Amino acid sequence: MTSILIKNGIVVDPEQNINGEKMDIYIKDGKIVDECKADKVIDANGMTVVAGGIDIHAHIAGPKVNAGRAMRPEDMKHVRMKSGKFRCAMGGVLLTCPSIGYEYARMGYTTAIEPATPTLYAIHTHEELDSIPIIDKAALPLFGNWHLTFKFAAEKDVEKMKSFVAWAIERAKGYGIKVVNPGGVEAWMYGKNVHSLNECIPGFEATPAEVLTTLMKASIELNLPHKVHVHCNNLGVPGSAETTAETIELAKKIGEYCLHITHIQFNSYTGDTWKNMGSGAEELAKLINDNPVTVDMGQVIFGHTTTMTADGPFEFALFKLAKSKWINKDVEIETGGGIVPITYRAKSAVNAVQWATGLEFGLLVDPDKIVISTDFPNGGPFTSYPYIITLLMSKKFREKEIEEKGVNNYIEKATSLLSIETERTFYDIVKMTRTTPARILGLKNKGNLKVGADADVAIYPFNCNDMPDYERILKALENPAYTIKDGEIVVKDGEIVSENWGKTFWVKAKEQSEVIEEELESVFKYYTVSRGNYGVREEWIRRAEAIRV
Amino acid sequence: MIKDVVCTFCGNACDDIEFEGDYGRNLCPVGEAKFARKERIKTPMINGKEVSYDEAIEKAAEILKSSKRPLLYGWSSTVNEAIRLGVIIAEKLGGIYDQCSSVCHAPTTLAMIEQGIVGGTLGQAKNRADVVVFWGCNPVEAHPRHPTRYSVMARGFLTRGRSDRRVIVVDVRKTPTAYLATDFYMIKPNSDFAIFTALRSIVNGHEEAVPDRVGGLKKEELIELAKTLESAKYGLVFFGLGVTHTRGHERNVEAVIKLVQDLNKKTRYILQPMRGHFNVVGSGEVPAWEVGFEYAIDFSRGYARFSPGEFTAVEALIRGDCDAAMIVASDPVAHFPKKAVERLKKIPVIQIDPHPNLTTKIADVVIPTAIVGIEAEGTIYRMDGVPLRVKKIKDTNYPTDVEIMEKLLEKIVR
Amino acid sequence: MGGGNLTIVIKPKREFEVCVEAEIVPGKTDFKVYLGKEVVPIEELFYVENIDDGEDRILLQGDFSRVKWIGKSMKGGEIIVEGNAGMHLGSFMEGGRIIVKGNADDWIGGMMKGGEIIVEGNAGNRIGCNYWGESKGMEGGKIIVKGNAGNYVGEKMCGGEIIIEGDAGDFIGTEMKDGRIVIKGKAGYTGWDMKGGEILVGDCELSPSFVKEGEVFKGDVNVKGNGSVKILKIN
Ligand code: SF4
Ligand SMILES: [Zn+2]
């Protein structure tokens, strides 16, 4: 491994309260070090040096993602890079594994979290994660519709829930607790959905609220680095803002931080029909700022994409609306999922409100509490992060986009976007793409440039103390001068120059499966996979790294 | 005793096999035959002459590299780890990657491209389904443990077994599976498409569009069948080669997908193809995540192009679109149409397989390997995509498919 | 438009090891010739002769049944294939004319928008269809096949006209939205999930999702379609 000196760069690292100071950074053996003899010197004069970006929520691996690819050859046929020194990279919005690694690195991102994996399919998810070059990654197993989750929630048995969570995360080699439409996917097995937090889940004495509360308590008591990561009930429909507010209320009752609400934009609509739908971002942003919760944006990008979520009933509703193709997958007694292609149109009032709502959150929520995301590929490609950042940093750019794309002027009535003057500073942006996701995920060696941190670094060709106009910001963010991963230069001037393999993080929580032995036995009596074959072994993963708690 | 062994014969991938020496408890007769000792290819060969592994791999690399467009075919009977390397080899060579489903369940992929698919795991049959349909498939013979393990008699979380299920069999003859059925419908060969569509017209309230007889069934019978389908709380349609391999092919599948989509507007329904080989799913999933497509992939331009009917093995051979072939764990000489086999005989062929078969006879280079699931471990996908690790239960001196692919790749990118 | 003013005569020199891909269009001489993974100079595989006769034309002499993508995206001028033609003939075509004196392989006029293709012999499968996963088939122009056609004719067709003077196989006008298909002989399954447009056919097996209205059958009822199929044998 080479050692590198990044000389005279302008450093931004909110974790250390460094905001645009000219500094030298040394890298040795994949870590940031105090000082060392450098084999290679990068002259970063006039350039901005930050930690590698972290995507907290992007569907990048697993059966659902792959089914989406297989269903959409018309999207996969786009060629990003021909085979040569590196792999060929294919895909338009959906991407192949090589493309995913290359495209993240080409934006200066070095870590991404796959946020929805059925434990039954975890082997598959890890196979794909293992095929993604360069970046570090982790997967969140799904808990929100597991029969055992319902059982322990109904019994309000936090002890058993803890054991179950620890057991399933270990089996999935996962990183935390993902909850998607708690109870709603089970209701979908009967052709229904749940519509409020206090409704009974079909066949169980539990409510979505109890599921969330018990899981949040378990996440605290297990001391998980990443707490409950939730896709709320009622996603994507007018009135969802209310459910989101109620969900925040649940977290507030617990009293300490234990809840990350993902792709908040999709869960923040007011009104009761598509005709009078509006943005609930203003009120929700206040609630988020005042309560112990964090969120990611779920920004919508105009154009076509493929939605994919574990939220089976939502995808069915979307299928009926969009009248396009539809994949559904019901997974034993643990979860489900669906995939539907859609197009977000600037001229559509509904899509315009979605677009504006995401930006409102990005401008109104405290940067210590919000992370930039598109819920890839649901809102659009993650390759639009430079575009989203630029929108957040420049009101002029927002105005130009509204004008040029012809964004439906219904947003004037239904959202507060046009009246927001805020322009995010680059320091805020670094928080929203590095510091904050690293903190939410409990990844201490990520998202900062402290001595001892992982040497994942992005160097952008602009001076953040003297910000250029939006066009140049966008261009610089899309073409980092360097991306360094694990101490190796992988990107130069926006192009891949070398390829390495990142780590897969997983959490080993204290497991006491004896407590739930009886329940597990009863499950495997009827499962179609034997208990001995359920889950993933560490040695099957290319570069697994356990985090013990 | 070795527990939880996965059977590597059919798409059921039963994972409860217990091995005591050579005896595997829970195997069905078909599975037993798979695990029984069979003739092996003894050593690597070039033109029938015994050579070392290094020589054979060197020769194989030479053939592949000097070819204008090599075809790499087979894959559905090996593990994902080997398939992944195979896809990369095809990419680096500028060749074609194609796999066995191009001659079995590829119509399902094509239908999925048009419509998506409403699916679920086999656990849904076991735990939830109260109406189970077998259409153009005969699990009693082709997937022997399917009825007891998953679908007909199996007891689940929310079902008590056979008494809770209405089992419908639709086929062109009274198969052994038909004897398990509550209702059996004998239809005319090659009429699946018309019957699916007629049922759909009825389900959607347009009986007037349905003629008096369709595919050998009277209109009243069709109406009765539609009613039974709609009566399910959770229904499941299994379909097999009787749907994918008869007149209509992928359109038959598309028609049943559309029927199931429409049934979901009334109740819950899912659909599951009865896939044959134990890893036919993996041989499509792996290339999809590596290069974007499941089969029929050409890399001659340095990137992946998908074209069924063009870059599928049979058509590529018949059109003379490939000038060398590497066959992995498959026997095209036994299964392909005559014209395709004729072309295979004319071009250099490399075979990688544990067992001799008709393809061995025409192969220029033969490389024997360890048997997956007995002598070699790795990941495979059950017919519903559920991933399982097959085990190594016996030692061997044969190298694994993965080891061979690694060496080959090294020689090709060198 | 093509813009050339000469006739280019192209003849194969030898038998090809694998099929050749060459996007031969009038007025262009710099197209790439692919022989499998190799890009080769055109002279390696073909004799090329330019005749300065003021025409904007390409004459393909000999067997072109293993040459794919002839006339891809062509905008004007004329291609005459004196023998058989390979796959993807006239795909994405926007204008001009292609005449094939022999037979044509699969995928003629895939997603074409304009121009004319005439096949004097038989044609293969997927005439005027959409490519995999795309939502629109042929949008304009005209395809005439004087012999028989294979399966899948005019899928997701949005405009233009296809005329088959002989028989056709299964699946005529599947998910058709607009345009016109005429099959003078008989065909297999016809009209499935048709949303609009018009099919005239000598005889066929109509998808059981159409309702007779006067002279024609209207459907497909399952997609609330407004397509019409006229079966000449019945009327
Ligand atoms: S049903 Fe199939 S997988 Fe199961 S034991 Fe028999 S052959 Fe093996
Ligand atoms: Zn998501």
Side-chain angles (χ1 to χ4, degrees):
Chain A
M1 242 178 217
T2 50
S3 47
I4 301 173
L5 162 60
I6 305 169
K7 210 173 160 55
N8 287 330
I10 301 149
V11 174
V12 179
D13 182 6
E15 189 63 45
Q16 302 183 78
N17 298 315
I18 298 171
N19 186 4
E21 282 172 43
K22 194 172 232 193
M23 294 169 70
D24 291 344
I25 295 209
Y26 290 90
I27 291 169
K28 195 173 186 262
D29 296 334
K31 297 276 175 192
I32 309 277
V33 294
D34 219 357
E35 227 184 300
C36 67
K37 199 175 95 18
D39 306 334
K40 181 168 173 58
V41 179
I42 293 174
D43 178 10
N45 203 4
M47 299 200 240
T48 301
V49 181
V50 295
I54 301 172
D55 196 338
I56 199 171
H57 187 111
H59 300 266
I60 52 171
K64 186 159 63 343
V65 181
N66 216 34
R69 295 180 184 118
M71 182 173 72
R72 301 211 64 189
E74 72 277 23
D75 190 25
M76 298 314 298
K77 71 171 188 216
H78 298 278
V79 184
R80 287 169 180 271
M81 189 162 81
K82 283 194 190 182
S83 188
K85 187 172 172 212
F86 306 107
R87 295 289 309 284
C88 81
M90 304 292 298
V93 177
L94 298 177
L95 302 171
T96 58
C97 290
S99 294
I100 289 171
Y102 299 155
E103 292 299 335
Y104 270 121
R106 289 185 58 234
M107 302 190 297
Y109 268 64
T110 50
T111 304
I113 309 297
E114 154 55 43
T117 202
T119 305
L120 185 63
Y121 282 90
I123 298 177
H124 179 162
T125 305
H126 283 288
E127 278 193 288
E128 284 195 38
L129 289 177
D130 268 358
S131 292
I132 299 175
I134 301 175
I135 60 169
D136 287 338
K137 51 249 162 176
L140 303 178
L142 290 155
F143 283 91
N145 289 281
W146 240 106
H147 280 197
L148 286 182
T149 302
F150 299 151
K151 184 169 190 288
F152 302 141
E155 292 162 2
K156 300 192 173 49
D157 194 333
V158 178
E159 275 313 302
K160 283 192 174 173
M161 190 69 99
K162 271 165 61 183
S163 291
F164 173 56
V165 165
W167 172 83
I169 289 180
E170 191 279 329
R171 288 289 74 214
K173 292 296 169 292
Y175 194 77
I177 301 170
K178 175 67 183 301
V179 179
V180 172
N181 186 4
V185 182
E186 177 63 19
W188 167 236
M189 304 300 166
Y190 304 89
K192 300 187 176 75
N193 199 347
V194 296
H195 298 285
S196 89
L197 282 173
N198 298 312
E199 202 172 297
C200 244
I201 297 161
F204 292 88
E205 296 290 311
T207 63
E210 285 160 351
V211 166
L212 283 168
T213 302
T214 323
L215 283 170
M216 285 191 281
K217 286 180 180 161
S219 78
I220 292 172
E221 291 189 24
L222 283 168
N223 202 17
L224 296 182
H226 180 45
K227 300 300 188 287
V228 175
H229 189 121
V230 67
H231 155 142
C232 295
N233 297 93
N234 277 335
L235 176 127
V237 295
S240 50
E242 201 178 314
T243 312
T244 305
E246 285 165 17
T247 308
I248 295 172
E249 242 356 88
L250 292 176
K252 184 179 174 185
K253 273 195 208 132
I254 301 223
E256 64 181 283
Y257 175 72
C258 57
L259 188 67
H260 177 77
I261 297 178
T262 190
H263 42 71
I264 181 94
Q265 177 278 128
F266 284 113
N267 236 89
S268 302
Y269 312 139
T270 56
D272 45 28
T273 67
W274 290 111
K275 288 237 147 49
N276 67 13
M277 155 268 198
S279 160
E282 250 186 314
E283 282 75 49
L284 284 172
K286 279 189 206 113
L287 267 182
I288 295 159
N289 289 339
D290 291 347
N291 284 291
V293 293
T294 54
V295 298
D296 61 82
M297 281 169 79
Q299 178 62 31
V300 151
I301 303 294
F302 295 127
H304 86 85
T305 189
T306 307
T307 68
M308 49 178 70
T309 111
D311 198 339
F314 166 73
E315 293 288 352
F316 179 62
L318 201 57
F319 158 66
K320 286 192 290 183
L321 226 59
K323 297 196 173 58
S324 56
K325 334 180 193 188
W326 170 43
I327 286 179
N328 173 81
K329 188 100 187 192
D330 298 340
V331 181
E332 311 273 298
I333 51 161
E334 46 184 279
T335 185
I339 309 171
V340 175
I342 60 164
T343 302
Y344 296 109
R345 293 187 170 84
K347 305 223 165 13
S348 138
V350 169
N351 296 158
V353 170
Q354 294 182 303
W355 183 81
T357 304
L359 293 175
E360 283 180 273
F361 278 112
L363 295 167
L364 297 174
V365 175
D366 177 354
D368 286 319
K369 294 192 148 215
I370 188 166
V371 182
I372 288 174
S373 79
T374 56
D375 185 16
F376 171 74
N378 290 298
F382 65 73
T383 48
S384 319
Y385 291 171
Y387 168 77
I388 296 171
I389 292 170
T390 313
L391 285 172
L392 295 175
M393 291 182 75
S394 164
K395 180 149 202 268
K396 231 163 116 192
F397 188 46
R398 296 199 286 273
E399 281 162 358
K400 177 188 151 259
E401 282 296 290
I402 290 169
E403 173 78 32
E404 277 183 10
K405 298 236 155 85
V407 178
N408 192 306
N409 63 14
Y410 180 62
I411 60 168
E412 203 179 321
K413 206 168 92 190
T415 81
S416 68
L417 181 68
L418 302 186
S419 62
I420 301 174
E421 298 296 324
T422 309
E423 296 191 323
R424 288 296 185 195
T425 63
F426 193 66
Y427 191 75
D428 288 343
I429 294 297
V430 175
K431 279 188 174 179
M432 294 161 80
T433 53
R434 274 89 178 160
T435 328
T436 306
R439 281 185 198 155
I440 297 173
L441 291 165
L443 288 169
K444 296 202 170 56
N445 293 328
K446 300 269 169 211
N448 67 70
L449 298 170
K450 283 185 196 164
V451 168
D454 292 343
D456 301 346
V457 184
I459 305 175
Y460 293 107
F462 63 67
N463 180 346
C464 65
N465 289 330
D466 180 16
M467 283 312 274
D469 58 26
Y470 63 76
E471 270 157 14
R472 286 193 41 221
I473 296 179
L474 181 58
K475 195 152 174 264
L477 292 172
E478 281 174 342
N479 296 285
Y482 293 90
T483 303
I484 298 169
K485 176 67 184 52
D486 279 333
E488 194 180 324
I489 298 172
V490 290
V491 170
K492 192 162 181 299
D493 300 325
E495 296 304 327
I496 303 290
V497 292
S498 102
E499 178 180 36
N500 56 12
W501 295 95
K503 298 186 274 281
T504 301
F505 297 109
W506 69 281
V507 170
K508 188 158 176 50
K510 232 175 118 158
E511 189 188 337
Q512 319 147 285
S513 64
E514 320 83 66
V515 193
I516 53 163
E517 194 51 41
E518 206 178 295
E519 282 89 352
L520 288 178
E521 275 308 305
S522 77
V523 162
F524 283 103
K525 205 165 137 203
Y526 294 122
Y527 240 58
T528 58
V529 167
S530 353
R531 190 163 163 189
N533 284 328
Y534 188 79
V536 189
R537 289 214 202 124
E538 196 167 18
E539 63 265 27
W540 299 343
I541 297 172
R542 196 192 281 263
R543 253 187 99 194
E545 187 164 305
I547 292 176
R548 278 157 223 280
V549 294
Chain B
M1 189 179 68
I2 309 172
K3 282 178 67 173
D4 303 330
V5 176
V6 180
C7 172
T8 43
F9 187 72
C10 81
N12 268 0
C14 301
D15 77 331
D16 59 347
I17 315 300
E18 298 176 347
F19 265 89
E20 194 93 72
D22 274 347
Y23 173 69
R25 208 167 71 85
N26 290 340
L27 280 173
C28 75
V30 188
E32 261 172 22
K34 158 88 195 193
F35 281 87
R37 265 177 223 279
K38 267 193 291 221
E39 196 194 341
R40 299 292 290 270
I41 302 170
K42 292 193 182 62
T43 67
M45 290 180 285
I46 298 176
N47 298 326
K49 283 222 309 266
E50 293 187 8
V51 295
S52 70
Y53 274 97
D54 279 346
E55 285 167 306
I57 293 168
E58 188 70 48
K59 180 74 186 168
E62 192 190 303
I63 291 173
L64 294 170
K65 278 167 83 170
S66 61
S67 149
K68 303 256 186 273
R69 193 200 316 259
L71 163 70
L72 278 58
Y73 174 81
W75 311 106
S76 63
S77 294
T78 186
V79 293
N80 288 356
E81 292 80 354
I83 297 168
R84 177 169 182 269
L85 293 166
V87 173
I88 299 174
I89 291 171
E91 176 187 318
K92 296 294 174 195
L93 284 169
I96 293 176
Y97 172 93
D98 192 39
Q99 38 104 349
C100 302
S101 84
S102 83
V103 293
C104 67
H105 265 286
T108 308
T109 301
L110 292 183
M112 209 240 318
I113 287 167
E114 293 297 330
Q115 294 302 324
I117 192 164
V118 196
T121 61
L122 291 171
Q124 305 310 320
K126 188 174 179 177
N127 298 324
R128 300 186 198 267
D130 58 344
V131 171
V132 176
V133 183
F134 293 100
W135 197 301
C137 59
N138 178 16
V140 169
E141 286 175 330
H143 300 80
R145 292 184 65 204
H146 196 283
T148 47
R149 200 170 141 78
Y150 306 117
S151 54
V152 181
M153 299 79 136
R155 216 184 134 107
F157 290 103
L158 309 164
T159 55
R160 286 166 307 176
R162 181 67 184 87
S163 61
D164 278 356
R165 287 192 192 98
R166 182 132 182 194
V167 176
I168 298 165
V169 172
V170 184
D171 217 320
V172 295
R173 62 184 180 95
K174 190 150 190 188
T175 61
T177 304
Y179 288 94
L180 300 177
T182 323
D183 317 83
F184 170 59
Y185 291 88
M186 178 123 79
I187 62 170
K188 272 201 193 147
N190 293 320
S191 58
D192 305 72
F193 169 80
I195 297 175
F196 287 136
T197 303
L199 286 170
R200 192 163 152 239
S201 296
I202 297 167
V203 166
N204 289 331
H206 296 286
E207 279 175 26
E208 76 279 10
V210 177
D212 292 339
R213 281 191 99 88
V214 181
L217 298 182
K218 289 205 257 337
K219 188 166 177 178
E220 301 83 78
E221 287 176 293
L222 289 164
I223 293 172
E224 174 202 76
L225 177 53
K227 288 247 154 62
T228 313
L229 292 175
E230 285 178 24
S231 74
K233 284 202 194 74
Y234 191 105
L236 206 168
V237 183
F238 290 105
F239 65 94
L241 297 181
V243 171
T244 59
H245 262 53
T246 55
R247 178 187 172 197
H249 300 270
E250 73 270 18
R251 284 291 177 271
N252 296 341
V253 183
E254 220 184 304
V256 65
I257 291 174
K258 286 182 176 178
L259 171 63
V260 165
Q261 285 177 351
D262 289 343
L263 282 165
N264 270 289
K265 291 169 187 162
K266 307 203 157 180
T267 178
R268 275 312 312 282
Y269 256 87
I270 62 169
L271 191 68
Q272 173 64 48
M274 296 285 265
R275 313 224 189 210
H277 298 292
F278 67 90
N279 197 25
V280 73
V281 178
S283 63
E285 294 271 351
V286 176
W289 79 57
E290 290 295 334
V291 298
F293 313 107
E294 291 202 338
Y295 70 107
I297 309 162
D298 164 72
F299 292 100
S300 62
R301 305 240 176 139
Y303 52 86
R305 290 187 300 169
F306 172 66
S307 187
E310 179 174 12
F311 303 132
T312 28
V314 169
E315 285 81 2
L317 285 166
I318 291 176
R319 281 200 185 88
D321 220 348
C322 53
D323 58 347
M326 180 167 94
I327 310 295
V328 180
S330 177
D331 190 5
V333 172
H335 303 299
F336 278 9
K338 207 165 142 248
K339 271 190 167 166
V341 175
E342 269 164 25
R343 174 78 181 175
L344 263 181
K345 286 180 181 162
K346 279 193 204 132
I347 61 177
V349 172
I350 302 151
Q351 184 193 31
I352 298 177
D353 208 303
H355 307 293
N357 56 28
L358 291 181
T359 303
T360 320
K361 291 202 171 64
I362 66 144
D364 302 75
V365 180
V366 177
I367 305 176
T369 54
I371 305 170
V372 162
I374 300 177
E375 300 164 344
E377 63 174 341
T379 310
I380 62 121
Y381 293 167
R382 200 167 72 184
M383 65 163 77
D384 55 354
V386 167
L388 288 161
R389 282 288 287 203
V390 300
K391 293 187 171 55
K392 175 177 175 167
I393 55 175
K394 270 185 200 160
D395 283 329
T396 180
N397 291 323
Y398 287 103
T400 63
D401 290 342
V402 174
E403 286 163 343
I404 299 295
M405 291 303 153
E406 274 170 350
K407 288 210 173 117
L408 198 52
L409 178 59
E410 218 173 87
K411 291 220 150 64
I412 280 160
V413 296
R414 172 184 67 191
Chain C
M1 300 308 283
N5 50 5
L6 38 87
T7 294
I8 305 172
V9 184
I10 305 179
K11 261 189 254 180
K13 270 187 183 168
R14 59 172 169 93
E15 200 169 319
F16 313 130
E17 292 89 333
V18 295
C19 293
V20 170
E21 296 182 24
E23 296 170 13
I24 304 172
V25 291
K28 249 180 93 180
T29 46
D30 59 342
F31 52 83
K32 281 188 180 157
V33 177
Y34 295 88
L35 182 63
K37 66 188 173 194
E38 290 166 15
V39 179
V40 297
I42 185 165
E43 299 78 30
E44 193 183 314
L45 302 179
F46 301 94
Y47 299 105
V48 184
E49 191 191 343
N50 295 343
I51 304 169
D52 208 345
D53 59 359
E55 301 278 343
D56 183 15
R57 188 165 65 169
I58 292 188
L59 220 61
L60 303 179
Q61 295 178 338
D63 184 18
F64 278 76
S65 65
R66 290 177 73 214
V67 179
K68 303 177 192 171
W69 300 105
I70 297 167
K72 186 194 172 200
S73 304
M74 88 183 232
K75 294 184 172 65
E78 190 176 48
I79 298 179
I80 298 167
V81 189
E82 298 194 340
N84 299 333
M87 293 180 82
H88 307 290
L89 177 94
S91 285
F92 306 102
M93 188 171 172
E94 289 174 27
R97 183 157 67 157
I98 303 177
I99 299 169
V100 180
K101 299 272 170 80
N103 301 324
D105 206 337
D106 295 355
W107 289 108
I108 61 172
M111 295 171 82
M112 80 187 264
K113 288 198 167 77
E116 195 178 1
I117 301 176
I118 299 163
V119 178
E120 297 191 346
N122 300 323
N125 300 313
R126 302 193 186 276
I127 298 171
C129 290
N130 59 307
Y131 280 97
W132 305 107
E134 304 284 354
S135 58
K136 285 180 181 168
M138 181 171 173
E139 290 182 64
K142 192 168 184 177
I143 300 176
I144 300 168
V145 177
K146 302 212 167 146
N148 300 324
N151 296 322
Y152 318 100
V153 177
E155 274 193 46
K156 297 191 186 171
M157 191 168 166
C158 297
E161 190 174 18
I162 301 176
I163 298 168
I164 314 288
E165 299 196 345
D167 297 337
D170 271 333
F171 302 109
I172 313 301
T174 300
E175 293 189 23
M176 186 172 175
K177 291 163 197 164
D178 204 349
R180 187 160 181 263
I181 301 176
V182 179
I183 301 192
K184 297 196 176 160
K186 54 185 191 318
Y189 292 129
T190 297
W192 188 46
D193 272 19
M194 209 174 159
K195 294 184 177 108
E198 186 188 1
I199 300 176
L200 259 87
V201 55
D203 192 9
C204 75
E205 287 173 61
L206 188 64
S207 169
S209 45
F210 280 73
V211 179
K212 195 152 197 281
E213 266 179 39
E215 293 274 276
V216 299
F217 292 90
K218 300 291 275 183
D220 181 312
V221 296
N222 288 317
V223 292
K224 301 188 177 75
N226 190 30
S228 73
V229 179
K230 186 165 179 179
I231 305 173
L232 300 169
K233 190 188 153 197
I234 295 181
N235 295 296

